[in-house]
Amino acid sequence: MCVQVVLAYGAESDKDLGIPGESLSGIYSAREFVWWYNGHPDYSCLKPDLKTSDSAVILGQGNVALDVARILLRPTTELASTDIATHALSALKESSIRKVYLIGRRGPVQAALTAKELREVLGIKNLHIRIKQTDLSVTPADEEEMKTSRARKRIYELLSKAAAAAKTSKADPDQRELHFVFFRQPDQFLESDERKGHVSGVNLQKTILESVGTGKQIAVGTGEFEDLNCSMVLKAIGYKSVPVNGLPFDHKKGVVPNVKGRVVSHTSGDISQTEPGLYVCGWLKRGPVGIIATNLYCAEETVGSISEDIEEGVWKSSKAGSKGLMQLLEKRKVKKVEFSGWEKIDAKEKQMGIERNKPREKLVTWEDLLAAAAN
Amino acid sequence: MLGHRISRFGSTIVKQLAREGYISTYGRRNLQRSYGHYLPSLPVVPRQARTSQEAWFLKSHKFCTSSTTSSENGDEETEKITIIFVDKDGEEIPVKVPIGMSVLEAAHENDIDLEGACEASLACSTCHVIVMDTEYYNKLEEPTDEENDMLDLAFGLTETSRLGCQVIARPELDGVRLAIPSATRNFAVDGFVPKPH
């Protein structure tokens, strides 16, 4: 029998900063926060601290950072008609967070966010955008980057326009603020005196940019530091894949080593020995970056390898395949949910959503999910 | 039309598996059916049934608002222009496109390999096409901010790039040549080399 396995389980873990204070309470990865408000059953009890102060710091300036900033700053009346988890909506209604700081090591020209997502955040009602005029000055190296990337140029223009518009609007005490903080990298987290074990701020080091050839600029610390107070930190600095027992894994890059999607079992010198019948695709193959089109081409490459291998009859597997998998699950008494179970959960969530004027009301505990699937 | 693409890839693998004798013909049909099951809105329709597919396509797919105009006009009387698609290997494929139909729809109607992952909702860049003659590019309306946001992320972006779902067939575009970019190699057809943006 012919068995192929394609690993496409993405990147479910987070990169760490590896700086002091990272384990203080009140510091979460953005992914945990997203899973909390999206109703992931493992995170419905996260209870992020939204009431201790008016400030939250987000480390990173990619689209995930913008996502979580948007959830913290959008009027809850608007969020009420989305499929946000009910426990998150209740917590956000009582949130005292009014200022969100998006911190990036480099400048507006290097920010990882993209235009569509930036527009959405800039369009939030009654949101005051704050960008330092000095952060918007560009160097020749920045100009060069903008010349080679239309995306960066347009993002820089959007941020400049937002900064200019902000100057003309009046301050309002209850208004929410989004600060884009550039050229700062986190050095350590500060612990609260009143509340031991909880974060009270971030110590940031000012940076400047240095060219490293090929048009790229990196951030370098200047030795100047400043503190930024906050009661919650969200780290949005990138995802990481989770290794699996027995699976070849490159811990440095956080991916499964492969050649055109064929999993590499070991490498000696220039020759890579690949694992017959085992393939990898998506973020697990390339790292947690890319858009739909990137994944499309990545999939084409892996499928191309599978096709080639089938045609050349490269391997004849004696593995038991899905039948063997079912037997193993039964032997280990693992509960499984079939696609029909997923459809029942989907129907139930949509039904509950109708009753509450939302696209769906998510089931957020494993018990409820399994009960709905078995119905 | 990601589902269509998956179906076709799946079909290729399935056909090869069947050829090798790994699965019976019954199994093969079963597998092909299961793609349809998971993607109910995208049935796999054989090439021969083009005309009826066209009519069904125009009626039930809302790729852009102008598709309803063309179906109201009736299939025979709708004015058509010629669009020439140039694929990754440089092959020129001329197709007849009714006025009001988008380039993406026209490509799918004629089995041209143009992906449209987000189904024309301006949420991706997979229907990226390159207008090969500046004269024709200038006849198009300026892209909106939303289109430009997605074009920013397209592979091999050029000064005459557009999203196929946003380019609508009009009389003045008769004879336009549109290149489908390849992600993996530098594109050059008949000496045409896109200017990097």
Side-chain angles (χ1 to χ4, degrees):
Chain A
M1 182 162 63
C2 203
V3 176
Q4 307 100 43
V5 173
V6 180
L7 299 166
Y9 65 78
E12 281 194 349
S13 179
D14 315 292
K15 288 208 182 106
D16 290 312
L17 287 161
I19 61 176
E22 203 162 354
S23 56
L24 288 169
S25 71
I27 301 174
Y28 314 96
S29 73
R31 175 194 57 88
E32 293 173 313
F33 189 68
V34 171
W35 285 16
W36 169 74
Y37 67 69
N38 269 338
H40 191 298
D42 288 345
Y43 286 84
S44 41
C45 300
L46 185 72
K47 292 198 182 50
D49 183 351
L50 302 171
K51 294 204 260 200
T52 298
S53 81
D54 65 353
S55 298
V57 161
I58 300 175
L59 298 169
Q61 291 174 336
N63 288 334
V64 175
L66 287 184
D67 270 349
V68 293
R70 196 173 63 239
I71 294 295
L72 287 169
L73 294 168
R74 234 180 126 189
T76 48
T77 43
E78 286 180 27
L79 290 176
S81 53
T82 68
D83 62 359
I84 194 171
T86 299
H87 56 252
L89 186 62
S90 311
L92 288 164
K93 280 183 183 158
E94 297 177 19
S95 162
S96 57
I97 306 284
R98 293 290 174 274
K99 297 188 201 151
V100 171
Y101 297 83
L102 284 166
I103 319 269
R105 290 180 293 189
R106 302 187 290 171
V109 175
Q110 293 77 32
L113 44 80
T114 54
K116 183 178 167 137
E117 284 74 11
L118 179 58
R119 265 185 234 281
E120 204 169 328
V121 134
L122 295 177
I124 294 176
K125 263 202 309 245
N126 293 330
L127 182 65
H128 204 76
I129 309 291
R130 290 222 185 280
I131 301 175
K132 280 214 305 253
Q133 199 55 42
T134 47
D135 284 345
L136 288 167
S137 50
V138 293
T139 63
D142 289 333
E143 298 274 10
E144 203 51 47
E145 273 192 69
M146 286 196 281
K147 249 202 279 196
T148 53
S149 166
R150 192 184 98 154
R152 294 203 183 285
K153 177 156 167 280
R154 292 179 74 243
I155 287 166
Y156 172 78
E157 285 168 0
L158 261 174
L159 288 167
S160 302
K161 258 195 274 190
K167 281 206 278 272
T168 56
S169 56
K170 295 180 216 130
D172 161 6
D174 197 43
Q175 191 168 46
R176 298 180 180 208
E177 298 174 4
L178 178 62
H179 298 243
F180 284 85
V181 178
F182 297 104
F183 307 106
R184 297 288 184 277
Q185 71 191 22
D187 196 74
Q188 59 179 303
F189 296 103
L190 309 167
E191 187 176 351
S192 161
D193 291 323
E194 296 89 32
R195 213 171 135 200
K196 285 293 171 201
H198 195 89
V199 71
S200 68
V202 191
N203 180 245
L204 300 164
Q205 184 176 183
K206 295 187 187 176
T207 66
I208 48 166
L209 299 185
E210 252 178 36
S211 288
V212 288
T214 67
K216 193 169 180 228
Q217 300 184 77
I218 57 162
V220 171
T222 58
E224 260 186 84
F225 295 82
E226 66 189 23
D227 287 345
L228 184 53
N229 294 331
C230 66
S231 52
M232 180 168 84
V233 176
L234 295 174
K235 297 181 284 180
I237 57 172
Y239 298 109
K240 206 166 66 181
S241 288
V242 176
V244 165
N245 248 343
L247 176 67
F249 197 80
D250 181 335
H251 288 272
K252 189 155 163 251
K253 293 189 194 155
V255 297
V256 172
N258 69 93
V259 174
K260 290 194 176 173
R262 295 179 179 96
V263 175
V264 167
S265 38
H266 62 267
T267 311
S268 45
D270 277 340
I271 316 290
S272 288
Q273 178 90 3
T274 56
E275 193 69 49
L278 192 59
Y279 304 87
V280 68
C281 198
W283 282 8
L284 187 59
K285 174 183 170 196
R286 304 182 335 267
V289 283
I291 56 175
I292 291 177
T294 335
N295 286 313
L296 207 68
Y297 297 122
C298 174
E300 276 188 37
E301 185 187 63
T302 297
V303 170
S305 296
I306 296 174
S307 285
E308 259 174 47
D309 291 349
I310 290 175
E311 241 184 72
E312 291 172 29
V314 154
W315 36 260
K316 297 270 188 277
S317 171
S318 59
K319 308 240 186 221
S322 50
K323 214 163 150 194
L325 176 64
M326 290 302 145
Q327 286 170 357
L328 186 66
L329 290 177
E330 226 180 279
K331 195 170 108 182
R332 293 185 187 175
K333 299 205 184 353
V334 172
K335 273 199 199 102
K336 64 184 196 305
V337 176
E338 313 243 342
F339 186 62
S340 54
W342 183 93
E343 286 177 309
K344 290 187 190 136
I345 293 172
D346 186 37
K348 174 123 205 224
E349 287 188 348
K350 282 186 178 141
Q351 178 58 42
M352 285 163 51
I354 290 173
E355 295 160 14
R356 292 162 178 75
N357 197 29
K358 299 164 77 163
R360 66 174 67 237
E361 177 62 47
K362 295 198 181 177
L363 296 167
V364 299
T365 66
W366 291 115
E367 293 78 27
D368 287 344
L369 286 164
L370 290 171
N375 199 13
Chain B
M1 292 297 262
L2 190 60
H4 183 66
R5 194 71 170 269
I6 292 172
S7 298
R8 288 214 307 209
F9 267 115
S11 293
T12 319
I13 293 179
V14 166
K15 274 189 211 129
Q16 283 176 317
L17 283 171
R19 215 179 297 144
E20 296 295 304
Y22 286 116
I23 47 174
S24 65
T25 336
Y26 170 76
R28 171 175 138 195
R29 251 178 282 156
N30 220 11
L31 267 168
Q32 285 177 327
R33 257 209 303 277
S34 26
Y35 286 104
H37 171 69
Y38 285 105
L39 303 154
S41 60
L42 298 163
V44 180
V45 181
R47 252 189 121 94
Q48 300 90 306
R50 188 78 51 78
T51 345
S52 52
Q53 180 191 3
E54 186 175 326
W56 167 85
F57 200 95
L58 284 170
K59 265 196 296 202
S60 47
H61 278 66
K62 297 180 180 62
F63 280 89
C64 68
T65 50
S66 32
S67 68
T68 46
T69 327
S70 41
S71 59
E72 277 164 18
N73 287 342
D75 305 312
E76 273 80 51
E77 280 142 42
T78 315
E79 201 189 322
K80 295 192 182 185
I81 61 163
T82 302
I83 292 182
I84 300 158
F85 286 99
V86 184
D87 74 10
K88 304 172 203 198
D89 304 310
E91 194 191 325
E92 290 201 0
I93 306 144
V95 303
K96 287 269 179 236
V97 183
I99 305 287
M101 183 180 276
S102 77
V103 160
L104 180 62
E105 282 180 270
H108 290 171
E109 288 279 298
N110 294 278
D111 242 7
I112 308 273
D113 219 0
L114 187 64
E115 187 60 56
C118 75
E119 298 192 336
S121 61
L122 277 177
C124 79
S125 58
T126 58
C127 68
H128 172 213
V129 291
I130 300 170
V131 183
M132 294 179 73
D133 307 291
T134 325
E135 200 189 306
Y136 278 105
Y137 177 78
N138 292 333
K139 291 187 190 173
L140 297 171
E141 273 173 39
E142 285 277 308
T144 58
D145 278 342
E146 286 71 27
E147 183 181 346
N148 272 326
D149 285 351
M150 291 301 116
L151 276 170
D152 278 353
L153 309 172
F155 292 116
L157 185 69
T158 70
E159 279 166 19
T160 57
S161 286
R162 290 299 300 263
L163 292 183
C165 64
Q166 302 301 302
V167 177
I168 311 299
R170 298 252 177 275
E172 58 267 27
L173 296 177
D174 189 26
V176 67
R177 291 190 308 153
L178 299 172
I180 297 167
S182 160
T184 49
R185 27 180 201 277
N186 278 329
F187 182 77
V189 157
D190 293 336
F192 172 73
V193 177
K195 279 178 280 195
H197 211 283

